Amino acid sequence: MALALAAALSAGCEEGRCVRHSDCVSPLICLATACVPVPTDADADAAVDATADTGATADVARDTASDVAGDAASDIVVDASADAAADAAPDAAPDAAADAAADAAKDVTDVTDASDADLDAAD
Amino acid sequence: MAFAATALLSTSSVSAQPAQTPTLIPAQMHSITLTGGSGLSMGSAGGNDAYVTHTPVFLDAAWRTWHNTMPQWVYGFSMRAEVDGRTSIGIVPRFEFSRTVGRVSLRPGIAGVIFFAPYELIGPEASFTVDFRLGSVVSLVGTMALDVFFLGSDVPPKSAIFAFNGALGVAIHL
């Protein structure tokens, strides 16, 4: 048993070979008994992910631009409506008051005229 | 404890009678074993692609227990730490069959090796332990074990690790 232990301990590690991930230096992993960098297919996947991310970023940018334009348009419409309402309100109120006064005056005139007509008839 | 005391008293009370066979006081027995070991590890990724290197040196502190009415069934666990080129720690629950002949106990057993930090390495272990009693308390212990690891983050993809290890140490019987 001791001989087996001694023989096992004397068996050195061949550079770059491994049986476990922990046999390799930190950035490397064990693949098919050899210490290798992270596989290239993973890199390809990462590139695909990066492309997808770029696309997503572009989409986000486009969306953002659209949103900004849309928001701006909405703001313009809202502002225009608000301005129009605001503009109309001060104008409308005096107009309505003037119309009402004119109508009332007209009614008073009509009543006066009717009274005059009645008096004339009595005469 | 009370049962053991009663049995002891009953034994002493009848000890004056001739031809009395000694009474075995039922008790749970324990031992602590400290060993260090290494061996050969082989990694295989299928086909002819295999590589053999030495297993990282490990230290193993084991607790074993058995009942003296059934001393052939031994169970327990150990804490195992790799200290060679890396540092890891694991737990090894085990079950053994013990056969004692004179001062030597032979214990074939099975166990599960579970390294859990800083990586995972999991697999079964078959072992054969020789316990040579030096006295009433201390014995020398030698173990040969075969491990197969196929689970865990430290196992390369599509691979398995076979380890044939030996360990030497000292056991203290409590």
Side-chain angles (χ1 to χ4, degrees), chain B:
Chain B
M1 178 72 77
F3 182 63
T6 305
L8 184 62
L9 288 174
S10 64
T11 302
S12 61
S13 64
V14 299
S15 61
Q17 298 177 0
Q20 177 68 38
T21 57
T23 303
L24 179 66
I25 302 171
Q28 192 72 28
M29 312 299 286
H30 308 275
S31 74
I32 299 293
T33 307
L34 303 175
T35 58
S38 182
L40 293 173
S41 290
M42 184 185 76
S44 173
N48 297 323
D49 193 4
Y51 174 61
V52 179
T53 184
H54 81 267
T55 303
V57 175
F58 60 87
L59 302 177
D60 193 283
W63 167 76
R64 288 180 171 87
T65 186
W66 64 94
H67 201 272
N68 63 354
T69 58
M70 293 184 294
Q72 68 273 28
W73 302 121
V74 180
Y75 58 93
F77 72 93
S78 62
M79 299 300 294
R80 184 173 295 181
E82 293 177 310
V83 294
D84 178 14
R86 76 213 72 189
T87 303
S88 65
I89 189 166
I91 187 170
V92 187
R94 65 165 50 84
F95 181 78
E96 295 172 326
F97 174 79
S98 180
R99 177 72 175 173
T100 301
V101 180
R103 299 168 67 180
V104 177
S105 294
L106 306 176
R107 292 201 299 265
I110 55 173
V113 183
I114 306 166
F115 284 99
F116 55 84
Y119 45 75
E120 295 85 41
L121 188 65
I122 302 169
E125 176 181 276
S127 63
F128 188 84
T129 298
V130 179
D131 184 306
F132 183 76
R133 202 74 177 246
L134 296 178
S136 59
V137 177
V138 179
S139 59
L140 294 178
V141 174
T143 298
M144 301 295 287
L146 176 65
D147 302 73
V148 181
F149 298 106
F150 51 85
L151 293 175
S153 62
D154 203 33
V155 180
K158 300 177 182 178
S159 180
I161 302 164
F162 300 88
F164 183 66
N165 299 326
L168 293 172
V170 176
I172 298 172
H173 299 266
L174 306 176

Side-chain angles (χ1 to χ4, degrees), chain A residues 1-2 4-5 7-15 17-23 29-33, chain B residues 38-39 43 45 49 51 53-54 57 82 86 119 121 142-144 153-157 161 166-168:
Chain A
M1 190 179 303
L5 284 175
L9 288 174
S10 65
C13 297
E14 190 177 333
E15 190 69 26
R17 300 299 301 274
C18 58
V19 297
R20 298 159 51 179
H21 290 313
S22 58
D23 291 336
I29 65 169
C30 187
L31 194 63
T33 71
Chain B
S38 182
D49 193 4
Y51 174 61
T53 184
H54 81 267
V57 175
E82 293 177 310
R86 76 213 72 189
Y119 45 75
L121 188 65
T143 298
M144 301 295 287
S153 62
D154 203 33
V155 180
I161 302 164
L168 293 172

